[in-house]
């Protein structure tokens, strides 16, 4: 008999797959402190939580029988994933349960925005019959730009098309084939900003998406655009949006999320006549709460019965002997993928992983999820991608995966080459992981290098001309950026060359712009390893 402890409020309907199972005994005790949970967790095989319970390392250490922790929802910030992985506990969540409810809330916000429903309601119940102040717009025949076409964004696109809207969208992993299936035009963020009547964002919050819509975008935006954000606060610069509304660039905005939640009482969104807000209600429906519980309960019981399962958010099981041989390469693969994602532009089409030397004799398939995690997390966020779902996410985005083996190697007993092909370019990197040395970047394309995969790296492509290195060094020095190491490479005198700089701190936007201003420099990329 499997024993399952439910420590957060979850509906009985959502738990029915567990409570109705003949081989499962469910105990529901909510509101427990860490100490109280530690005192009772020992005999349980599974722990089921929402967001209230903080599942710490101490709790897992006390739960010596724990095989699985289920999170009835998406985020797992309240669970110590490193501790779970080290103890062999599978952590599963329910990433699909909120898709429809968030999509529908987006549409509710868009329609309320188009027809001024909250403002009209407030006046009407206050005793004012005002039909002249709330002239709205129709959705039909309008252009809607969808930023981010994952699960939720794709559902929004389908519904927008049903409303007679012209749908254009941007996603770094959107292929033409998938765009055609969705019936949308794949385009750029810039075109959406310049042409859309409505814009809705459905991207995760990452370093790349933080304030992705701010003053440079508002300055070229189509006047009269209406903006909806039911994704994450911080994607749109709140202060810049208020100014754009005041200047008449943006006609209205509807936000379910804030950069800091709950917002301060004096937050300008709360009193602006052109903004409607809700308190992060995207996932707050009865069906969604039941769906996430049903989804995670199904996975929990599969794990307990040792049946195939999905939606694990930590490392999958690997045979111990193979794990010991591959362990040094997990971090290398993730960092190589992260580096490539920061070097390339365009929608990802194909990822090739080539292992050489001693690795060619092993089953290296467990390395691929780490490569994909490094690549995808740059666009989707580290909270959305893990070593189990990265393959699923790649296939969902029509990314072709190739695995190759080679007995030949250069410079070390085993090397890994990751090749990334996008819609507009192809780049590759090679790395190694040597005992006592750690993870190293061995080649960037055809150029041999020797770089530790940590900190900040500037990758500069330029024409091979005298004085370029000095100008770059002077520029960085004047900006207070110290160069730790520098490596240069070229194919021929006076031809193309690369400069790889290890710097002590992140380069600012103005520094990057100044580097681009040097005529001989063709491309600059900052690679951040964390």
């Amino acid at each position: 008999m499997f024993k399952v402890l439910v420590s957060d409020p979850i509906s009985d309907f959502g738990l029915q797959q567990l409570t109705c199972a003949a081989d499962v005994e469910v105990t529901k005790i909510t509101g427990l402190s860490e100490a109280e949970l530690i005192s009772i967790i020992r005999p349980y095989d599974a722990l089921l939580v929402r967001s209230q319970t903080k599942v710490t390392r101490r709790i897992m250490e006390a739960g010596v029988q724990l095989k699985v922790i289920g999170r009835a929802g998406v985020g797992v910030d309240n669970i110590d994933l490193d501790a779970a992985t080290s103890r062999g506990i599978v952590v599963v969540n329910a990433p699909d349960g909120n898709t429809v409810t968030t999509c529908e809330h987006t549409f509710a916000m868009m329609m309320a925005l188009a027809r001024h429903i909250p403002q009209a309601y407030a006046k009407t119940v206050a005793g004012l019959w005002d039909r002249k102040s709330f002239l709205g717009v129709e959705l039909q025949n309008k252009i809607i730009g969808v930023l981010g076409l994952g699960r939720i964004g794709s559902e929004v696109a389908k519904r927008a098309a049903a409303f007679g809207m012209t749908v254009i969208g941007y996603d770094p992993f959107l292929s033409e084939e998938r765009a055609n299936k969705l019936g949308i035009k794949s385009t750029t963020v810039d075109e959406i900003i310049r042409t859309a009547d409505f814009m809705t964002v459905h991207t995760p919050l990452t370093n790349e998406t933080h304030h992705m819509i701010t003053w440079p975008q508002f300055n070229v935006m189509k006047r009269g655009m209406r903006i909806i954000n039911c994704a994450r606060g911080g994607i749109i610069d709140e202060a810049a949006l208020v100014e754009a509304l005041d200047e008449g660039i943006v006609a209205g905005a509807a936000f379910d999320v804030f950069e800091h939640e709950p917002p301060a009482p004096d937050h300008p969104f709360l009193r602006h006549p052109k903004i409607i807000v809700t308190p992060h209600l995207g996932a707050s429906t009865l069906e969604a709460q039941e769906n996430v519980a049903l989804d995670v309960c199904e996975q929990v019981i599969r794990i307990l019965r040792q049946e195939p399962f999905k939606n694990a958010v930590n490392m999958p099981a690997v045979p111990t002997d193979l794990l010991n041989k591959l362990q040094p390469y997990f971090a290398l693969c993730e960092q190589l993928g992260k580096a490539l994602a920061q070097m390339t532009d365009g929608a990802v089409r194909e990822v090739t992983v080539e292992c050489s030397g001693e690795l060619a004799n092993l089953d290296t398939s467990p390395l691929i999820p780490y490569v994909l995690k490094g690549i995808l997390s740059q666009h989707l966020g580290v909270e959305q991608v893990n070593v189990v779902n990265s393959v699923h996410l790649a296939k969902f985005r029509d990314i072709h995966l190739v695995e190759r083996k080679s007995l030949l190697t250069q410079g070390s007993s085993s090397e890994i080459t990751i090749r990334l092909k996008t819609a507009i370019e192809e780049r590759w990197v090679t790395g190694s992981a040597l005992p006592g040395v750690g993870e190293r970047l061995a080649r960037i394309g055809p150029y041999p290098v020797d770089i530790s995969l940590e900190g900040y790296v500037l990758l500069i492509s330029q024409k091979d001309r005298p004085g370029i290195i000095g100008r770059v060094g002077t520029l960085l020095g004047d900006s207070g950026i110290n160069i730790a190491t520098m490596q240069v490479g070229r194919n021929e005198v006076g031809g193309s060359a690369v400069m790889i700089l290890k710097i002590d701190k992140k380069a600012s936007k103005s520094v990057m712009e100044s580097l681009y201003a040097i005529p001989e420099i063709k491309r600059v990329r900052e690679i951040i390893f964390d």
Side-chain angles (χ1 to χ4, degrees):
M1 179 72 69
F2 300 114
K3 297 174 69 68
V4 177
L5 175 63
V6 180
S7 62
D8 284 337
I10 296 176
S11 70
D12 291 337
F13 179 82
L15 293 171
Q16 62 180 338
Q17 291 187 76
L18 294 177
T19 55
C20 295
D23 56 347
V24 177
E25 177 185 322
V26 178
T27 302
K28 191 173 182 180
I29 309 175
T30 61
L32 296 171
S33 66
E34 182 187 43
E36 290 170 331
L37 189 50
I38 287 173
S39 69
I40 66 170
I41 193 66
R42 184 178 182 86
Y44 290 97
D45 301 285
L47 174 63
L48 192 56
V49 303
R50 289 186 63 191
S51 57
Q52 294 93 324
T53 299
K54 308 301 179 186
V55 189
T56 64
R57 181 179 293 272
R58 293 183 63 220
I59 290 172
M60 290 183 231
E61 289 173 348
V64 294
Q65 300 295 327
L66 279 178
K67 302 172 182 65
V68 56
I69 298 169
R71 163 69 165 97
V74 179
V76 290
D77 293 344
N78 57 318
I79 301 172
D80 188 332
L81 294 180
D82 290 336
T85 300
S86 66
R87 297 190 65 81
I89 302 170
V90 180
V91 179
V92 291
N93 66 348
D96 299 320
N98 296 334
T99 299
V100 171
T101 187
T102 305
C103 166
E104 290 184 353
H105 192 68
T106 299
F107 251 86
M109 296 288 274
M110 181 163 60
M111 298 186 75
L113 181 64
R115 302 304 296 269
H116 309 288
I117 291 173
Q119 297 91 331
Y121 168 80
K123 269 200 171 183
T124 304
V125 298
L128 300 174
W129 189 257
D130 182 2
R131 299 180 64 191
K132 297 181 179 180
S133 299
F134 303 112
L135 183 65
V137 296
E138 295 181 0
L139 301 186
Q140 182 171 277
N141 296 324
K142 297 298 189 300
I143 299 173
I144 180 171
V146 183
L147 297 183
L149 285 149
R151 292 184 298 269
I152 297 171
S154 297
E155 292 299 319
V156 170
K158 294 176 186 176
R159 286 159 177 77
F163 270 75
M165 305 182 81
T166 298
V167 186
I168 59 178
Y170 168 77
D171 189 291
F173 301 104
L174 180 66
S175 65
E176 286 298 326
E177 294 79 9
R178 185 160 170 265
N180 291 334
K181 289 178 184 178
L182 292 171
I184 69 174
K185 176 188 175 184
S186 177
T187 186
T188 63
V189 175
D190 184 68
E191 184 176 349
I192 289 174
I193 289 166
R194 293 177 184 272
T195 63
D197 301 296
F198 290 83
M199 181 174 69
T200 176
V201 297
H202 298 285
T203 70
L205 181 63
T206 67
N207 289 334
E208 290 184 347
T209 63
H210 180 257
H211 287 188
M212 70 182 295
I213 307 298
T214 186
W215 260 119
Q217 288 73 41
F218 287 122
N219 283 335
V220 297
M221 185 172 286
K222 180 178 181 179
R223 293 188 71 88
M225 180 187 283
R226 290 168 171 84
I227 299 174
I228 303 97
N229 184 6
C230 293
R232 289 288 184 269
I235 296 171
I236 297 172
D237 185 336
E238 295 175 349
L241 173 60
V242 171
E243 291 189 47
L245 285 160
D246 292 340
E247 294 189 13
I249 298 171
V250 178
F255 272 57
D256 185 45
V257 290
F258 293 80
E259 191 155 0
H260 301 287
E261 297 181 353
D266 61 347
H267 194 291
F269 278 21
L270 304 183
R271 60 178 182 271
H272 201 287
K274 295 182 180 179
I275 301 179
I276 62 176
V277 294
T278 50
H280 209 144
L281 299 179
S284 296
T285 63
L286 174 63
E287 292 86 352
Q289 297 305 312
E290 290 180 343
N291 286 340
V292 294
L294 288 169
D295 287 352
V296 78
C297 286
E298 179 182 356
Q299 300 314 311
V300 165
I301 199 167
R302 282 179 171 275
I303 292 169
L304 293 176
R305 291 172 177 168
Q306 297 185 0
E307 297 173 350
F309 62 92
K310 61 180 182 179
N311 298 334
V313 295
N314 58 346
M315 190 175 71
V318 178
T320 302
D321 57 340
L322 179 60
L323 178 64
N324 291 336
K325 295 175 182 177
L326 296 182
Q327 187 74 47
Y329 300 97
F330 289 150
L332 172 67
C333 286
E334 184 173 345
Q335 295 289 53
L336 291 178
K338 190 176 298 184
L340 266 181
Q342 294 174 82
M343 291 181 195
T344 52
D345 293 323
V348 179
R349 294 287 186 265
E350 183 175 278
V351 176
T352 300
V353 180
E354 180 174 335
C355 297
S356 61
E358 296 174 357
L359 284 173
N361 298 315
L362 302 176
D363 173 13
T364 54
S365 60
L367 298 177
I368 292 178
Y370 289 87
V371 173
L372 294 174
K373 179 186 176 186
I375 294 171
L376 296 176
S377 63
Q378 292 300 302
H379 301 281
L380 304 180
V382 294
E383 293 182 355
Q384 301 295 321
V385 186
N386 56 71
V387 293
V388 175
N389 68 7
S390 60
V391 174
H392 170 75
L393 292 172
K395 291 180 178 178
F396 178 76
R397 287 162 173 79
D398 297 326
I399 297 173
H400 183 52
L401 305 178
V402 179
E403 185 179 2
R404 293 176 181 164
K405 300 291 182 65
S406 173
L407 296 176
L408 301 176
T409 186
Q410 300 178 26
S412 69
S413 58
S414 291
E415 288 185 339
I416 298 174
T417 297
I418 314 298
R419 189 178 298 268
L420 183 60
K421 183 184 295 184
T422 75
I424 60 177
E425 63 180 334
E426 182 174 354
R427 292 181 179 271
W428 66 97
V429 293
T430 300
S432 63
L434 300 175
V437 178
E439 299 86 25
R440 310 291 294 186
L441 190 59
R443 282 188 296 281
I444 297 177
Y447 302 103
V449 298
D450 183 19
I451 300 173
S452 62
L453 299 176
E454 57 186 6
Y456 305 96
V457 174
L458 284 180
L459 176 61
I460 301 173
S461 301
Q462 82 272 2
K463 295 178 181 177
D464 183 30
R465 298 288 188 273
I468 300 299
I469 295 175
R471 293 174 66 183
V472 170
T474 299
L475 191 157
L476 294 177
D478 291 344
S479 302
I481 298 177
N482 191 44
I483 300 174
T485 63
M486 174 184 287
Q487 300 179 50
V488 295
R490 64 184 184 184
N491 288 327
E492 60 183 36
V493 176
S496 297
V498 295
M499 192 185 314
I500 303 102
L501 308 174
K502 195 76 176 291
I503 56 178
D504 288 348
K505 65 179 182 180
K506 179 177 172 58
S508 67
K509 183 178 180 180
S510 63
V511 169
M512 298 293 284
E513 291 173 347
S514 297
L515 288 170
Y516 265 114
I518 298 175
E520 292 82 1
I521 289 181
K522 297 183 291 184
R523 188 172 187 175
V524 183
R525 284 288 188 273
E526 183 172 36
I527 305 168
I528 302 174
F529 297 108
D530 49 24

